[in-house]
């Protein structure tokens, strides 16, 4: 289960409407696609199977066995099977999909990423789009798995260079937290308190709205 990080952004009053229009979509109050759109080529339907499928596809097309392929063989090879037999059986049983592996391979060659999983980490700084989103007056909040979306913060600063936006975030475990100021088109200042310090606890309470 993911450890979620909640981010709270305080927007200058005169920029609230513009920032709101920028971030909102038909599906949510915050949609990262409005700042950094996910390209059409990104595979959205593989959910992790592409790694094994890509390793098998590479092996069948003359590449050396990678660590992932070695793990597949160690886990699934039956006595007397050669590697081609292992791959054929794994595809029949649904563990891998060589067509998916080919798509991942072509995406890697052309774009540098195999699927949504790598693309989102690289471009949004987190595994998924924002969830549990909302607005309260000049404050927008949302949650992301495992980490705060630093590339999104940077993109927001670039979109509104004249605005001053304070970003405060904290993970569910208290230790992962910080405060950033966006202005002049960049992350102008950053503060990351040590784990379990009074400042870390203060930020955690502010973000998650807890009294104790």
């Amino acid at each position: 289960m993911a450890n979620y990080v909640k981010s709270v952004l305080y927007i200058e009053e005169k920029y609230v409407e513009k920032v709101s229009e920028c971030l909102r979509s038909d599906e949510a109050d915050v949609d990262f696609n409005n700042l950094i759109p996910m390209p059409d080529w990104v595979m959205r339907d593989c959910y992790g199977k592409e790694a094994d499928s890509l390793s098998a596809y590479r092996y069948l097309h003359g590449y050396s066995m990678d660590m992932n392929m070695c793990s597949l063989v160690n886990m699934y090879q039956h006595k007397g099977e050669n590697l081609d037999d292992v791959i054929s059986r794994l595809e029949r049983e649904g563990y891998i999909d060589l067509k998916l592996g080919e798509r991942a391979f072509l995406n890697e060659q052309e774009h540098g990423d195999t699927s949504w999983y790598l693309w989102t980490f690289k471009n949004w700084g987190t595994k998924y789009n924002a969830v549990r989103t909302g607005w309260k007056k000049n404050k927008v909040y949302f949650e992301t798995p495992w980490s705060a979306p630093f590339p999104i913060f940077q993109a927001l600063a670039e979109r509104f260079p004249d605005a001053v936006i304070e970003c405060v975030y904290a993970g569910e475990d208290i230790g992962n937290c910080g405060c950033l100021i966006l202005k002049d088109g960049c992350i102008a200042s950053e503060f990351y308190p040590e784990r379990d310090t009074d400042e870390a606890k203060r930020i955690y309470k502010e973000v998650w709205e807890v009294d104790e």
Side-chain angles (χ1 to χ4, degrees), residues 5 18 58 61 66 68 81 85 89-90 96 103 110 112 116 122 132 134 138-139 143 149 152 178 180 191 200 209:
V5 175
K18 290 183 178 179
R58 281 177 174 156
H61 288 79
D66 58 19
N68 209 56
E81 280 186 323
D85 292 336
R89 180 170 53 79
L90 291 179
I96 62 173
R103 288 172 59 199
E110 184 173 353
W116 66 269
K122 183 183 294 184
R132 292 185 279 279
N138 71 320
K139 179 173 73 174
E143 295 178 32
I152 294 297
L180 302 87
F191 172 63
E209 298 181 307

Side-chain angles (χ1 to χ4, degrees), residues 76-151:
Y76 296 112
Q77 188 175 27
H78 292 171
K79 187 176 181 179
E81 280 186 323
N82 61 38
L83 295 186
D84 288 5
D85 292 336
V86 175
I87 291 172
S88 296
R89 180 170 53 79
L90 291 179
E91 183 165 40
R92 289 196 306 273
E93 295 174 356
Y95 290 101
I96 62 173
D97 181 341
L98 291 176
K99 289 184 178 178
L100 183 65
E102 181 181 18
R103 288 172 59 199
F105 179 81
L106 294 175
N107 280 343
E108 184 179 55
Q109 297 300 305
E110 184 173 353
H111 304 291
D113 293 314
T114 58
S115 69
W116 66 269
Y117 188 82
L118 295 177
W119 188 93
T120 54
F121 270 115
K122 183 183 294 184
N123 293 277
W124 292 346
T126 186
K127 187 175 180 180
Y128 299 126
N129 206 337
V131 298
R132 292 185 279 279
T133 64
W135 282 81
K136 291 181 180 178
K137 297 183 179 179
N138 71 320
K139 179 173 73 174
V140 58
Y141 57 88
F142 55 85
E143 295 178 32
T144 49
W146 302 117
S147 59
F150 291 97

Side-chain angles (χ1 to χ4, degrees), residues 180-206:
L180 302 87
I181 302 296
L182 313 181
K183 69 175 186 176
D184 299 326
C186 66
I187 298 175
S189 66
E190 307 167 72
F191 172 63
Y192 307 106
E194 294 291 331
R195 187 183 183 89
D196 293 328
T197 60
D198 289 342
E199 193 62 25
K201 293 175 182 178
R202 182 194 67 77
I203 292 175
Y204 174 83
K205 291 177 182 179
E206 175 185 348

Side-chain angles (χ1 to χ4, degrees), residues 19 32 101 186:
V19 173
F32 294 162
C186 66

